[in-house]
Amino acid sequence: MIETGRFAPSPSGRMHLGNLMCSLLAWLSAKQADGRVVLRIEDLDKARCPRMYADQLEADLSWLGLVWDEGGSGGGPDGPYYQSQRDEIYHAYYQKLEEQGLVYPCFCSRAQLHAASAPHREDGTPVYPGTCRRLTAEQRREKAAQRKPAMRLIVPEETVEFTDGHLGPYRENLKTDCGDFVLRRSDGVYAYQLAVVVDDALMGVTQVVRGADLLESTPRQLYLYRLLGLPAPRFYHLPLLLAEDGRRLSKRDGDVSLEQLQSRYSAPEIIGRLAFLAGLLDKPEPARPEELLAVFDWDKVPRTDVRLPRNLF
């Protein structure tokens, strides 16, 4: 089987250094195995992800030398490669879960969930207590007249375990650590958890390289792969790249965006500095992606969050 990696950015603004490091390591991991790379545009939220950002993203990746083999505006055999164009595909898989009796409407607002006494995850996200799962048919009709529901997946009292290719063993109890999770939002948009599972399977992705902030999503996704009878990829979660003051980098805050970097550095200078942060080079010297294939090794990549050194960029 040919190894297939992917870039799956959300085009809500110019990429920041954390996005770039993830893209570089995803490219190196796939290409070192003589594999291919798919570019998928995760623009489920159409209002936040206009097409101009997706086009800019392609131009930025090409400028850096992180060239993909299929996807994006170039298309390919497994398209469309824009999530905003794949609703019919998601709907077909959503119906499979609905037919198994695993889906129910949820009328809780975000404010209600955060105010509830139910436990919260480390990132502050509430663990859904199953409030609307227990509603009667009559109660659902009454609430539906007032508010459009999101649709949640019923999860069992089950611990899902897997071994991350970089961070090692991880386990999570679906019921107590997560709770029933959303498959389709109240505005009709299919949720990330369902979309990413369907897309990676149908696009033949065998390895997923992404930030450690998505590690907790993996058990939910593995459960969906199983329910839908789809092959699951291997996962490699990266440490997060933090600002000098320890904050997570954010497109919203304009943290070291590629737009700023391009005015000061060449593409090889940026790639070399990213490779240095990723533990692949001993010093931040210019490098092209293909030159790093000889030194790429997951064992060199840090396993804890990396704070940007002062004056590196």
Side-chain angles (χ1 to χ4, degrees):
M1 177 187 293
I2 297 176
E3 286 285 357
T4 301
R6 44 86 150 172
F7 304 144
S10 178
S12 57
R14 294 296 290 272
M15 291 187 288
H16 59 58
L17 280 173
N19 306 138
L20 298 176
M21 189 163 82
C22 187
S23 296
L24 173 62
L25 293 179
W27 189 91
L28 290 171
S29 185
K31 290 298 183 180
Q32 193 185 63
D34 295 322
R36 63 192 185 108
V37 175
V38 173
L39 174 62
R40 181 173 69 242
I41 305 299
E42 298 201 335
D43 58 349
L44 285 168
D45 192 332
K46 298 176 187 178
R48 291 182 61 245
C49 301
R51 179 60 182 260
M52 64 178 183
Y53 283 151
D55 293 342
Q56 181 65 62
L57 191 147
E58 289 196 18
D60 289 342
L61 289 172
S62 295
W63 181 76
L64 289 165
L66 297 173
V67 181
W68 55 98
D69 298 287
E70 66 177 75
S73 60
D78 301 314
Y81 294 90
Y82 296 80
Q83 287 187 330
S84 60
Q85 300 172 13
R86 294 176 64 82
D87 273 6
E88 290 185 10
I89 298 171
Y90 303 144
H91 183 65
Y93 284 89
Y94 170 83
Q95 282 186 309
K96 291 184 178 183
L97 298 170
E98 206 170 37
E99 289 164 3
Q100 295 177 54
L102 296 175
V103 180
Y104 67 90
C106 173
F107 303 91
C108 299
S109 68
R110 183 173 299 179
Q112 288 172 325
L113 292 176
H114 279 277
S117 58
H120 286 60
R121 301 170 70 96
E122 289 184 7
D123 63 1
T125 304
V127 175
Y128 188 68
T131 307
C132 291
R133 191 204 291 197
R134 298 183 286 270
L135 295 176
T136 65
E138 177 61 28
Q139 288 173 319
R140 288 176 178 175
R141 282 193 294 271
E142 290 175 358
K143 287 183 177 291
Q146 304 296 322
R147 178 186 178 89
K148 289 185 177 180
M151 304 302 293
R152 289 186 181 270
L153 179 75
I154 296 172
V155 299
E157 173 80 47
E158 176 185 330
T159 297
V160 175
E161 303 179 61
F162 76 102
T163 299
D164 186 82
H166 184 52
L167 298 182
Y170 183 78
R171 56 188 292 164
E172 184 173 287
N173 184 286
L174 292 173
K175 183 176 181 180
T176 59
D177 295 329
C178 165
D180 300 341
F181 58 89
V182 173
L183 294 175
R184 192 176 69 197
R185 300 185 337 194
S186 59
D187 60 3
V189 174
Y190 286 98
Y192 166 79
Q193 305 292 359
L194 177 64
V196 73
V197 164
V198 171
D199 289 346
D200 282 339
L202 298 187
M203 294 177 186
V205 172
T206 61
Q207 55 175 252
V208 169
V209 176
R210 60 190 185 186
D213 54 330
L214 290 170
L215 179 65
E216 293 179 342
S217 291
T218 310
R220 280 171 272 178
Q221 292 167 17
L222 289 172
Y223 183 57
L224 279 173
Y225 281 112
R226 191 200 320 163
L227 290 177
L228 295 170
L230 298 172
R234 293 185 306 283
F235 293 91
Y236 299 80
H237 287 85
L238 309 177
L240 298 181
L241 195 55
L242 307 177
E244 287 182 26
D245 59 7
R247 290 180 302 107
R248 282 180 54 177
L249 299 181
S250 169
K251 291 178 186 175
R252 186 180 296 111
D253 295 335
D255 278 315
V256 200
S257 71
L258 187 56
E259 183 176 19
Q260 296 171 326
L261 297 172
Q262 282 179 318
S263 66
R264 303 198 300 271
Y265 304 102
S266 67
E269 286 174 323
I270 294 172
I271 291 293
R273 283 166 166 78
L274 290 170
F276 169 70
L277 289 171
L280 305 182
L281 295 178
D282 294 330
K283 55 184 178 180
E285 56 190 7
R288 300 183 186 281
E290 58 271 19
E291 295 170 341
L292 296 172
L293 289 170
V295 298
F296 175 72
D297 188 329
W298 277 110
D299 287 338
K300 296 179 180 178
V301 179
R303 289 180 171 81
T304 56
D305 291 346
V306 177
R307 189 172 296 201
L308 278 174
R310 185 180 298 276
N311 299 325
L312 180 63
F313 284 98

